[in-house]
Amino acid sequence: EAQVTQNPRYLITVTGKKLTVTCSQNMNHEYMSWYRQDPGLGLRQIYYSMNVEVTDKGDVPEGYKVSRKEKRNFPLILESPSPNQTSLYFCASRWGKSSYEQYFGPGTRLTVT
Amino acid sequence: AQSVTQLGSHVSVSEGALVLLRCNYSSSVPPYLFWYVQYPNQGLQLLLKYTSAATLVKGINGFEAEFKKSETSFHLTKPSAHMSDAAEYFCAVSAAYSGAGSYQLTFGKGTKLSVIP
């Protein structure tokens, strides 16, 4: 089954404790991205990647890091999480620049206390 | 640069009534437009998309949207609401040209649809 998976689905952590949210897609998509969803703000793009080893900042990159060492994986790293990073995070992928349909993962609800 | 404005953060309709969710966009180049739906505790699912073919686009679950360039709008409609339509709906815009900017999908803030029995 074609899908985007994220782990963990739920995470409660404390300020400053480094964490990684994994994202994996099995559709051989070139393009992957991370969004955060906050009430009243919709989805805002954090980072995106056009291919392996090619990443760029989205609209709200501060406090986040990403890497794209393999085509299928695009982990989101919070080196020193803060309470304002409490949010619902979505990973998404699509085939490439000629394809505009994005496939979203199920989301990761992160709480930073 | 591109942006999306969704009018109304909450919309309530009676079961069987017309659903109309409004979306206006701003884009410096020809746009591609999308509607996504998010059911409670789930990810986003594509409802329909406009990619410069027919201006009236039909999607899943009986939804459709019409691209009106003169009004810079892409409103979502469904003739008869069903209880299962209760969800949050997001309009999104992307640039319709190849280039770095075309990778950006900009979302509106969302409209939560409630269906009253």
Side-chain angles (χ1 to χ4, degrees):
Chain A
E1 180 190 354
Q3 60 182 348
V4 178
T5 57
Q6 296 178 227
N7 282 292
R9 294 288 313 278
Y10 302 90
L11 179 60
I12 301 173
T13 190
V14 295
T15 299
K17 186 176 181 182
K18 180 179 179 180
L19 67 91
T20 299
V21 184
T22 65
C23 172
S24 182
Q25 49 92 5
N26 63 0
M27 296 169 278
N28 202 36
H29 285 171
E30 288 185 344
Y31 176 75
M32 298 184 74
S33 60
W34 277 101
Y35 296 87
R36 61 177 289 172
Q37 182 181 15
D38 301 289
L41 296 178
L43 278 84
R44 295 176 292 168
Q45 191 177 54
I46 302 170
Y47 270 94
Y48 64 95
S49 169
M50 289 178 276
N51 214 323
V52 175
E53 302 292 1
V54 181
T55 63
D56 206 350
K57 297 177 180 178
D59 298 319
V60 288
E62 294 77 22
Y64 304 95
K65 284 176 58 177
V66 293
S67 69
R68 187 94 182 271
K69 293 182 170 53
E70 304 168 282
K71 198 171 187 178
R72 62 183 294 127
N73 296 323
F74 189 45
L76 179 69
I77 303 157
L78 285 72
E79 295 270 4
S80 182
S82 62
N84 65 12
Q85 293 178 297
T86 293
S87 187
L88 180 58
Y89 291 87
F90 288 101
C91 180
S93 74
R94 70 187 195 202
W95 182 74
K97 64 181 182 182
S98 63
S99 169
Y100 288 83
E101 180 170 350
Q102 289 208 99
Y103 294 82
F104 283 82
T108 295
R109 186 167 293 280
L110 172 66
T111 301
V112 184
T113 62
Chain B
Q2 56 199 32
S3 65
V4 172
T5 302
Q6 290 185 239
L7 298 176
S9 57
H10 288 87
V11 171
S12 292
V13 300
S14 297
E15 191 173 17
L18 171 71
V19 175
L20 171 61
L21 304 183
R22 299 178 187 275
C23 172
N24 288 90
Y25 70 90
S26 172
S27 179
S28 55
V29 297
Y32 285 175
L33 294 155
F34 308 82
W35 276 100
Y36 282 84
V37 60
Q38 184 181 28
Y39 297 105
N41 300 313
Q42 294 187 26
L44 277 76
Q45 178 184 1
L46 182 67
L47 260 184
L48 49 80
K49 60 185 176 185
Y50 164 77
T51 55
S52 73
T55 57
L56 182 61
V57 180
K58 295 188 185 300
I60 61 173
N61 301 336
F63 284 92
E64 62 182 37
E66 186 172 8
F67 171 67
K68 292 187 177 180
K69 184 178 179 181
S70 61
E71 298 176 9
T72 61
S73 69
F74 191 58
H75 302 330
L76 181 71
T77 61
K78 182 175 180 178
S80 176
H82 192 272
M83 295 298 295
S84 61
D85 294 328
E88 190 159 19
Y89 293 80
F90 293 91
C91 183
V93 63
S94 181
Y97 66 94
S98 60
S102 66
Y103 287 102
Q104 291 283 73
L105 189 65
T106 301
F107 285 86
K109 295 183 178 180
T111 298
K112 189 164 288 188
L113 176 67
S114 299
V115 181
I116 304 164

